[in-house]
């Protein structure tokens, strides 16, 4: 009996060692690339950091007061929240509508499934360049086609809208695919039951189909919220440091500029943490929504 | 449910109904047909696979008609055409005397119960049943009354607040039926409603369906592949195979006077035994020769066959397992015992008769209540049969020669 338990102990210890060994690579990866930068950023936000990124002393809330006091911070915060507030609902509405249109399998289904998902295949920087030329006030296709005379990226009034159009377009492909597969996963007989029961198509969509794909809608909501809060690449690539850039600066693009161009690490850290806290808050809010509205089978 | 309510009764008439599934075209229909195609002989034309053809049936008001047949025979397709979920390629469909070929399902005033229940998983039992009513009826009280009435009939009142996932299979099926009956449809369509239940529950639900039918006086069209369900539930049975109707008749008619060999083999358990035999005629009297064992036909049958002009030759002899009689003399046909199945009251003997497996059903106990278990594997067993228990089929067309 005694030897048995020691054997078991030894075996268990052996397994434990093996578990740690197998987990080591991902743990190392996590520590180096996720947890260390995260904690370092928090520390930075409360420290005096020189241009080389070395901590020179404790700064208390100085970085925070400095950041929140800046005019461009308030603007960047406004832009970020606008992007999140516009991007997320519009993406969800567009992708659900497209998925509903493409739901029924027809002869040509593969063609427009392909067309709708195509934006996925375009890289962000390529898309930025394409949109920049499409929205060009002089030689751009958009102004010509719609008979407009807008400055788009070059005007303070329209730059943010043009950025939003680009980011929404970028997100459509993947989210459409998620919505479509969720819709197609609804058992055919449930849809047939609504037909026999005389449920109108609109009622069927809102009372049956949407509730049944609510887990996917929730997933799209969360991921897009985070992505929208992190919007930076199009702002940096298209707007650069032009005169209009202050019209579109987001928290993340401001962070990029302060951290990588100006080497103002204190400011960059505060911006990062602020964005993180806001995103976390929104995500928690959406989980409250999930409890009430999302139906899991 | 509410017999005074007008419109809760209807006849259904199908005239020369034909359904062709077009060949390769994207979509789910294609998959359904190709899945069914395996093992069936559905006719293929240039337009596609013919799933149902030449379907003529008149369902009377408040009648319970069962469509039965092996999978891929077109029974579900027919039901779905009545429901309006499947387009009718050719022919006319009347509900209550009104041509409904082009009507949407919602305008046909039918209700349907699906094999996998198709309940709305995110709604409570109550909402599942009330969902379809909300638009049709105006007052909330009336909806409430109807839902509770249906729940009461089906015995699901205590589950009204539950979600479908918290119900057992039998309870879910009751909710599905409840959802159909609250609407007081002209016609109830049921697509294999019991096949997802386990054997015990299926027997119980079958009995409940018979009771339910007494309570809600409406027209039923019921699809099943289970001949027991067909026999016990139907006023009339429609036996189908390969898209064609094989026979329409009451359960008794279909059992006693099968139109052809397929119907004879499909209806009745255990299955009817078939033997190649030869038909002989002498002085206007027919007799059947089963490998030397000759049985004279009754005068009535002989007379009927004579008027039909049946010529002697090779035929298929059909004998139900319980009409085979065990004999002790060697003048009878001889077979070898292969498998003995003790079923309680009866014993099913699987016999090897000249290389062909046949089944014989005999009482488990003799007159003195002693178990007869002296059947050993490989032992010889003599059997005979009575002339009136014979079914004779044409060896080529399979048609019943006597009816």
């Amino acid at each position: 009996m005694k030897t048995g338990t020691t054997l078991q102990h030894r075996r268990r210890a052996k397994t434990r060692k093996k578990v740690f060994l197998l987990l080591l690579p991902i743990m190392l990866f996590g520590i180096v690339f996720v947890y260390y930068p995260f904690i370092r950023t928090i520390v930075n936000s409360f420290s005096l950091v020189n241009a080389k990124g070395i901590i020179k002393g404790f700064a208390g809330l100085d970085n925070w007061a400095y950041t929140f006091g800046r005019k461009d911070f308030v603007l960047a915060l406004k832009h970020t929240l606008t992007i999140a507030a516009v991007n997320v609902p519009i993406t969800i509405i567009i992708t659900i509508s497209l998925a509903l249109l493409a739901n029924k399998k027809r002869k040509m289904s593969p063609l427009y499934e392909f067309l709708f998902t195509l934006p996925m295949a375009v890289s962000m920087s390529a898309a930025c360049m394409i949109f920049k030329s499409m929205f060009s006030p002089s030689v751009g296709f958009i102004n010509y086609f719609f008979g407009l005379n807008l400055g788009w990226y070059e005007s303070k009034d329209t730059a943010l809208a043009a950025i939003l159009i680009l980011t929404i377009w970028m997100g459509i492909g993947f989210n459409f695919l998620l919505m479509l597969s969720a819709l197609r996963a609804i058992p055919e007989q449930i849809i047939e039951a609504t037909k026999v029961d005389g449920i109108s198509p609109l009622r069927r969509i809102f009372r049956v189909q949407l509730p049944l794909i609510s887990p996917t809608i929730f997933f799209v909501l969360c991921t897009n919220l985070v992505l929208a809060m992190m919007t930076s690449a199009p702002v940096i690539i298209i707007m650069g440091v032009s005169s209009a850039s202050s019209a579109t600066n987001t928290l993340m693009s401001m962070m990029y500029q302060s951290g990588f161009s100006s080497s103002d690490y204190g400011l960059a850290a505060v911006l990062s943490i602020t964005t993180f806290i806001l995103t976390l808050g929104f995500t928690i809010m959406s989980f409250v929504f999930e409890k009430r509205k999302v139906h899991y089978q | 449910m509410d017999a005074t309510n007008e419109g809760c009764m209807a006849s259904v008439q199908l005239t020369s109904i034909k359904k062709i599934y077009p060949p390769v075209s994207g979509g789910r229909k294609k998959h359904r047909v190709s899945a069914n195609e395996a093992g069936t002989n559905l006719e293929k034309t240039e337009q596609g696979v013919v799933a149902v053809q030449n379907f003529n049936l008149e369902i009377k008001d408040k009648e319970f008609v069962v469509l039965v047949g092996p999978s891929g025979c077109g029974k579900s397709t027919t039901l779905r055409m009545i429901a309006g979920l499947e387009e009718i390629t050719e022919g006319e469909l009347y509900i209550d005397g009104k041509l409904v070929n082009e009507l949407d399902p919602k305008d046909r005033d039918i209700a349907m119960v699906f094999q996998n229940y198709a309940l709305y998983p995110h709604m409570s039992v109550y909402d599942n049943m009330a969902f379809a009513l909300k638009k049709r009826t105006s007052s909330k009280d009336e909806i409430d009354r109807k839902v509770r009435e249906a729940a009461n009939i089906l015995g699901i009142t205590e589950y009204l607040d539950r979600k479908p996932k918290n119900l057992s299979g039998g309870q879910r099926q009751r909710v599905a039926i409840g959802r159909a009956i609250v609407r007081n449809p002209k016609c109830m369509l049921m697509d294999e409603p019991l096949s997802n239940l386990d054997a015990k529950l299926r027997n119980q639900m079958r009995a409940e369906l018979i009771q339910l039918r007494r309570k809600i006086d409406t027209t039923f069209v019921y699809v099943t592949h289970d001949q027991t369900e067909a026999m016990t539930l139907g006023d009339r049975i429609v036996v189908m195979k390969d898209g064609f109707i094989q026979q329409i008749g009451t359960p008794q008619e279909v059992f006693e006077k099968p139109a052809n060999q397929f119907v004879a083999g499909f209806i009745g358990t255990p299955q009817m035994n078939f033997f190649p035999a030869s038909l002989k005629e002498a002085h206007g009297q027919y007799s059947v020769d089963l490998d030397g064992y000759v049985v004279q036909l009754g005068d009535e049958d002989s007379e009927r066959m004579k008027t039909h002009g049946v010529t002697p030759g090779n035929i298929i002899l059909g004998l139900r397992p319980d009409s085979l009689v065990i004999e002790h003399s060697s003048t009878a046909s001889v077979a070898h015992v292969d498998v003995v199945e003790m079923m309680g009251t009866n014993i099913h003997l699987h016999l090897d008769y000249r290389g062909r497996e046949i089944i014989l059903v005999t009482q488990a106990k003799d007159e003195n209540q002693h178990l007869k278990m002296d059947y050993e594997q490989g032992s010889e067993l003599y059997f005979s049969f009575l002339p009136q228990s014979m079914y004779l089929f044409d060896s080529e067309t399979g048609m019943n020669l006597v009816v």
Side-chain angles (χ1 to χ4, degrees), chain A residues 103-107 183-201 203-204 206-209 211-212 295-297, chain B residues 24-28 32 80 83 85 105-106 110-112 114-123 128 131-132 134-136 163 165 179 183 191:
Chain A
N103 185 19
K104 197 178 169 193
K105 285 218 171 190
R106 299 181 184 86
K107 257 186 197 166
L183 273 180
R184 290 223 173 122
I186 298 177
E188 176 74 8
Q189 293 197 322
I190 288 186
I191 303 302
E192 286 179 344
T194 64
K195 284 183 190 163
V196 173
D197 280 350
I199 310 297
S200 69
R203 215 161 159 244
R204 184 184 75 224
F206 284 103
R207 293 294 310 278
V208 179
Q209 282 172 307
L212 290 182
H295 166 84
Y296 292 99
Q297 261 168 319
Chain B
V24 194
S25 73
R28 294 160 199 199
R32 185 174 324 122
R80 293 168 58 80
L85 295 170
K106 65 178 165 57
I110 41 108
M112 187 154 167
F114 294 87
Q115 179 178 350
N116 63 5
Y117 325 126
L119 297 175
Y120 307 122
H122 56 297
M123 294 185 195
N128 258 289
F131 189 50
K134 278 178 184 160
K135 209 179 160 191
R136 286 165 195 252
K163 292 264 173 72
K165 69 174 170 192
R179 188 172 69 183
R183 282 184 26 221
D191 191 359

Side-chain angles (χ1 to χ4, degrees), chain A residues 129-159:
Chain A
M129 296 329 287
I130 294 164
F131 269 72
K132 199 175 179 183
S133 72
M134 273 167 60
F135 279 114
S136 158
S138 47
V139 294
F141 161 77
I142 300 285
N143 269 357
Y144 174 75
F145 189 82
F146 292 102
L148 296 171
N149 192 22
L150 293 172
W152 294 114
Y153 293 121
E154 289 170 27
S155 149
K156 285 194 173 192
D157 305 320
T158 49

Side-chain angles (χ1 to χ4, degrees), chain B residues 179-193:
Chain B
R179 188 172 69 183
I181 65 176
V182 283
R183 282 184 26 221
N184 230 335
K186 279 181 184 171
C187 182
M188 282 273 273
L189 308 175
M190 301 183 137
D191 191 359
E192 310 222 10

